[in-house]
Amino acid sequence: MAGIGLFRIFDPKVRRHLISDEGEVVIDEVRQHWVVFTVPMLEVVLATALLVALVTDSIGGTQVLLAIVLILLMHAFWQFLTHHRDRFVVTNMRVMRIRGVFSQTVATTPIARVLDITLQKPIVGRIFGYGHFVFESAAQDQGFREIRWVSRPDDRDLTIQRVIQRTGLRASASVDVVQGDDDSDDDGTGPIGMDSAQEVTTTVAPAPAAHQARPVAGSGTKSIFNSERGNWTDDDRD
């Protein structure tokens, strides 16, 4: 319990970096896979074994062994904190990477600037369930080039693709409304759960009598769909 409380103290506290007044919410907060803690755990086991040997056996070089034990424990603790504070965050607006123990680095980029994603799953990663993401974007110099040791990589990849897709669909829906796209079939250009027939509604006035046949100004009216239908808090209608 003490260890859990200690790690909570060193938690990067992702929520404080959100633009809450603009409706930004966390879609996925990615922690590194447990396999990254293997080496620190081995160091702790080795340090424990050395301590037990010092207590049970009278061997020489006690000070040297104590120094080795101290170095192993300090290095293991540092590695724990480093991996624990390295977070990759996907929101409905952008992607972020937060890392650092004492000095913190926060790199962000809009989700629309993510151009291409490559998922790498080595053989060991396929066995233990981790992978590495390689991003092709305009933010490669900000630490988004490679995100390693991602747990459940397939699910995380689908999550990012959904966020990018929904962002693109919203932009396409806005263009359709401006251009007067009033087709009745669902061409996939509207917000999630809404077809193009709901995007633009056209009402045509009754045709005038034959002896008064002339165009009537303002006979067609259009109403714009409510953008709140595409809000991220809506339930998915898959």
Side-chain angles (χ1 to χ4, degrees):
M1 296 299 293
I4 296 176
L6 182 61
F7 277 103
R8 286 181 179 177
I9 294 176
F10 288 98
D11 192 86
K13 298 178 175 59
V14 173
R15 266 58 181 180
R16 68 172 56 178
H17 300 286
L18 299 179
I19 313 175
S20 302
D21 55 345
E22 295 294 334
E24 185 177 21
V25 295
V26 174
I27 304 299
D28 193 10
E29 180 178 344
V30 182
R31 295 174 173 84
Q32 291 187 335
H33 192 268
W34 60 264
V35 73
V36 300
F37 299 104
T38 303
V39 173
M41 287 298 299
L42 291 176
E43 291 178 343
V44 172
V45 171
L46 179 58
T48 304
L50 290 176
L51 283 177
V52 172
L54 286 174
V55 173
T56 57
D57 298 329
S58 57
I59 58 179
T62 303
Q63 294 181 348
V64 175
L65 290 178
L66 285 176
I68 294 175
V69 168
L70 183 60
I71 292 174
L72 287 173
L73 292 177
M74 291 180 61
H75 184 264
F77 183 68
W78 179 261
Q79 291 297 312
F80 269 113
L81 290 182
T82 301
H83 293 303
H84 175 70
R85 290 181 61 86
D86 194 339
R87 305 289 176 87
F88 178 67
V89 183
V90 182
T91 75
N92 57 330
M93 296 181 181
R94 52 186 174 150
V95 292
M96 297 187 293
R97 187 179 184 184
I98 304 173
R99 52 182 174 171
V101 179
F102 296 111
S103 60
Q104 189 179 68
T105 301
V106 181
T108 66
T109 189
I111 194 69
R113 297 181 65 184
V114 178
L115 305 178
D116 187 24
I117 304 175
T118 301
L119 174 58
Q120 299 177 347
K121 293 190 294 183
I123 296 178
V124 179
R126 296 182 65 182
I127 296 174
F128 291 101
Y130 70 84
H132 313 303
F133 284 110
V134 179
F135 288 86
E136 297 292 342
S137 69
Q140 295 179 9
D141 57 339
Q142 296 182 351
F144 289 107
R145 169 63 181 173
E146 189 174 11
I147 307 296
R148 298 177 60 81
W149 314 111
V150 177
S151 60
R152 296 189 290 112
D154 293 325
D155 295 339
R156 266 54 195 267
D157 181 50
L158 290 176
T159 298
I160 297 174
Q161 297 297 339
R162 288 190 185 101
V163 175
I164 296 175
Q165 183 71 4
R166 291 185 177 187
T167 303
L169 287 176
R170 284 185 174 184
S172 301
S174 300
V175 172
D176 288 340
V177 171
V178 172
Q179 295 178 350
D181 180 13
D182 55 357
D183 55 344
S184 59
D185 59 333
D186 185 0
D187 55 5
T189 58
I192 303 301
M194 175 182 293
D195 56 23
S196 58
Q198 294 174 296
E199 296 172 17
V200 180
T201 305
T202 304
T203 305
V204 181
H211 62 282
Q212 296 179 351
R214 61 178 182 176
V216 179
S219 59
T221 60
K222 295 182 179 180
S223 61
I224 307 302
F225 66 86
N226 184 359
S227 60
E228 294 180 356
R229 292 288 298 274
N231 194 291
W232 285 93
T233 58
D234 290 347
D235 295 331
D236 293 335
R237 302 183 178 181
D238 297 353

